[in-house]
Amino acid sequence: MVEPGSVYTGPIEIPLPEASGEVVFEENGITVDASHTEDGYLMVKGIPSEKRLKVQVTRNEETYTYDLNQEEEYEVYPLQMGNGTYGVEVFQQVEGTSYSPLSYTEVEVEMPDTDRVYLYPNQYVWYTNEKNAVRLSYDLCMDLTSDTEKAECIYNYIVGLLTYDYEKAATVEKGYLPDVDATLQERKGICFDYSALFAAMLRAQNIPVRLAIGYVRPDNIYHAWNQVYLDGEWVWMDATFGPASSYTEDNYTKERQY
């Protein structure tokens, strides 16, 4: 294993989200910062609460639902449904699976490049420039020039480093979110961990990557994998099953992407 930061010692500069306060909507203590929607993300800050908070981001008939922390800290949510009008609604748990609305706002999104959303950290693929995953990506890619070389290098490294954690897969709780540095340190994980780590490391190299979630058929496996933007097209890559897998891209049905 390469020790993160042991090869590359130069500056690390990656696109990071910012709640700059230029376009802000507030209601019932909920703050939505939509200052940088052209970069493909918005940020939401909740309220102190003993009950769970949920965020729904909707465009047309498509909806993504997320958890929101109760610590008054911003969460980053991607605008992966293209340009247009987004609805952003926050709910607070009443009891069990019953929730009541706290706030709603509409945000007009116009991204010059709708793939830019896949260059930034978000709640599902979270990292900062201090993360070992980011430092390691710079180590591995220091002498590489093309995006394809970088993607293949990081893919092969993850495939060789990680082992699948069957115990975690059997016990993981709903709402689990990957920690890319914990995955590196433990050298194991579930498909969500593999794909989040791969996405974080490639995004740190300014390569657009989707974290895709859906099913692998004919076995109907609920699964996470990646799509990487290389040479003008989205390329399917699955570090969990690795290059020896008998599955092909045709076996995969994507339901969501982050």
Side-chain angles (χ1 to χ4, degrees):
M1 178 178 179
V2 177
E3 184 67 26
S6 64
V7 179
Y8 178 82
T9 58
I12 291 178
E13 297 179 0
I14 59 176
L16 292 174
E18 179 185 8
S20 58
E22 296 162 17
V23 180
V24 175
F25 305 93
E26 294 182 299
E27 183 180 0
N28 291 329
I30 302 298
T31 305
V32 176
D33 191 305
S35 302
H36 299 282
T37 56
E38 74 280 359
D39 288 323
Y41 67 87
L42 53 80
M43 302 177 71
V44 181
K45 182 167 61 175
I47 57 175
S49 173
E50 295 180 357
K51 299 289 189 178
R52 296 182 67 181
L53 301 172
K54 295 278 188 181
V55 176
Q56 282 192 341
V57 182
T58 304
R59 179 175 176 263
N60 295 334
E61 302 301 317
E62 192 172 5
T63 298
Y64 281 77
T65 302
Y66 305 91
D67 287 322
L68 176 63
N69 70 70
Q70 297 109 306
E71 288 132 23
E72 293 184 285
E73 295 179 359
Y74 275 110
E75 300 261 22
V76 182
Y77 302 111
L79 299 169
Q80 69 276 63
M81 293 175 279
N83 289 326
T85 303
Y86 282 70
V88 184
E89 191 161 15
V90 178
F91 298 85
Q92 185 175 36
Q93 183 184 36
V94 177
E95 186 177 3
T97 58
S98 175
Y99 284 76
S100 63
L102 280 179
S103 71
Y104 176 80
T105 188
E106 290 187 347
V107 178
E108 294 297 327
V109 175
E110 183 60 43
M111 296 174 275
D113 178 7
T114 54
D115 291 332
R116 188 163 173 77
V117 59
Y118 303 110
L119 284 174
Y120 279 87
N122 61 49
Q123 189 189 64
Y124 275 45
V125 183
W126 183 250
Y127 57 94
T128 62
N129 53 13
E130 294 88 10
K131 290 284 188 180
N132 282 333
V134 172
R135 296 163 64 203
L136 178 61
S137 77
Y138 274 74
D139 292 330
L140 296 176
C141 297
M142 186 173 73
D143 296 323
L144 304 179
T145 55
S146 76
D147 288 352
T148 298
E149 287 178 309
K150 293 175 181 180
E152 290 177 349
C153 176
I154 292 173
Y155 172 83
N156 290 329
Y157 187 88
I158 290 175
V159 168
L161 177 72
L162 302 185
T163 57
Y164 192 79
D165 191 336
Y166 290 95
E167 180 181 355
K168 184 175 184 178
T171 59
V172 67
E173 296 183 0
K174 188 176 181 179
Y176 168 77
L177 293 172
D179 180 328
V180 293
D181 275 7
T183 302
L184 270 184
Q185 183 177 359
E186 296 165 7
R187 302 192 190 187
K188 60 182 180 179
I190 57 176
C191 58
F192 200 1
D193 299 313
Y194 276 76
S195 52
L197 177 60
F198 187 50
M201 293 179 70
L202 283 187
R203 289 182 189 182
Q205 294 300 310
N206 206 39
I207 301 172
V209 187
R210 295 169 177 160
L211 189 161
I213 295 177
Y215 288 88
V216 183
R217 294 181 169 81
D219 303 303
N220 212 38
I221 301 169
Y222 190 59
H223 191 55
W225 66 95
N226 297 101
Q227 294 171 316
V228 185
Y229 195 71
L230 300 172
D231 297 324
E233 63 180 4
W234 288 101
V235 178
W236 160 78
M237 300 184 81
D238 186 344
T240 307
F241 290 147
S245 172
S246 61
Y247 296 117
T248 68
E249 185 175 3
D250 290 339
N251 293 108
Y252 289 67
T253 301
K254 179 174 63 177
E255 291 193 339
R256 294 173 286 145
Q257 58 190 21
Y258 300 91

